[in-house]
Amino acid sequence: MKSKVMLIMLISLTLFCVVLTVPTFASFSSIKQIFDTPSFENAPEKTEIEAAIKEKNPLGFMVRNKDELNRAELAEVNDPTNLTLGRPVKVFIPNESVFQALMKNDPLTKLLKQCPYAWEFPVINKKSGEFVGSFRIEKIQGKWEFSELGGYLSSQTLSLISDSSRLADFMGKAGVYAIEDYAFFTVMPLHTTFLLVVKEGEEYLVPFIHGDWKEAYGLRSGEIYSRDKVVSTVGPVLQQFRENPNSLAGYPNKTDNKNIFKLPLIVLLIIIFGAVIGFYVFRRRMGQV
């Protein structure tokens, strides 16, 4: 009798686990399928881009110019045949409408899909499996050309954004189990590439800050934020940049940081000087009593 009860309990527990697991797996598969599109394999420009890669040999360029590119991951790579390409990522290039939307907190998805775009190709070290950089190809004057070689994004970011399974897992860990749409786009004045996802009609953004910076203007690289939060943070920065293109945008400015710390120092010196004078006057008065 006890064995039957135990068997029933075991079967019930198994069914319960299956019920919990199936929706999660289904959500993961659904998000992964969305991140799998658009695919470079189905892109109309695929043949032209592949011809440009074959002609210009970007991997050879990256190895020959690794010192100038300043990618630490390339330091030990001396032969371009030791490099291979990862899954290309479609990255939109924002136009004026997108910048206005970012400053006004208007929807971005539809506007982004109307923008020109580039394909970002991650570059991988065959031996170590490490992502060592990337290059971009975009349409310039009607022809697909290299627009950037070396890459702005970190190895960890390149590894994430070029893998639909990792992206789906990343979303799940952030509590996002279903999305309707997504887009990558780069805002160069902010030195940031954003992942935009649409969940239940609402837009959320994940900033991936270029280089080794972990945070800029209150946004941490690789964390998901509501569009409201991102706009309230970067909107004023973009406005400042548009009013003065030579002004700081994106990375914190070390010179400005020094100026920030100079003020408390000056105030402290004034306080000390005032205290000394006050103490001297106090002693004089005490001596007169």
Side-chain angles (χ1 to χ4, degrees), residues 6 32 56 70-71 92 117 160 179 189 207 235 249 252 254 266:
M6 290 294 293
K32 181 182 181 302
K56 299 295 177 65
N70 197 29
R71 298 278 320 203
F92 288 94
Y117 58 87
L160 172 63
I179 62 173
K254 293 181 180 179
I266 293 171

Side-chain angles (χ1 to χ4, degrees), residues 103 234-244:
M103 291 186 286
V234 305
V237 180
L238 284 175
Q239 185 63 45
Q240 175 191 353
F241 177 79
R242 293 175 68 78
E243 292 173 357
N244 179 13

Side-chain angles (χ1 to χ4, degrees), residues 80-126:
T81 61
N82 290 330
L83 300 176
T84 188
L85 299 181
R87 176 179 174 269
V89 179
K90 189 175 185 178
V91 183
F92 288 94
I93 304 166
N95 57 18
E96 175 65 20
S97 298
V98 174
F99 281 112
Q100 289 294 331
L102 268 173
M103 291 186 286
K104 296 178 181 178
N105 199 13
D106 290 336
L108 298 167
T109 308
K110 185 177 179 180
L111 294 174
L112 279 171
K113 296 300 179 74
Q114 297 171 354
C115 290
Y117 58 87
W119 286 99
E120 180 134 4
F121 286 78
V123 179
I124 306 170
N125 186 325
K126 289 181 182 178

Side-chain angles (χ1 to χ4, degrees), residues 1-10:
M1 184 67 180
K2 287 184 178 180
S3 60
K4 288 184 178 180
V5 172
M6 290 294 293
L7 181 60
I8 292 171
M9 290 178 64
L10 182 60

Side-chain angles (χ1 to χ4, degrees), residues 247-268:
S247 66
L248 169 68
Y251 297 144
N253 187 303
K254 293 181 180 179
T255 303
D256 287 355
N257 288 343
K258 290 178 182 177
N259 291 336
I260 290 171
F261 287 107
K262 281 180 182 177
L263 182 60
L265 180 60
I266 293 171
V267 172
L268 181 61

Side-chain angles (χ1 to χ4, degrees), residues 30 85 88 133 137 149 159 164-165 174 180 207 210 239 241 247 263 289:
S30 174
L85 299 181
I137 298 183
L149 285 156
S159 175
S164 58
S165 294
E180 293 96 57
H210 298 166
Q239 185 63 45
F241 177 79
S247 66
L263 182 60
V289 175

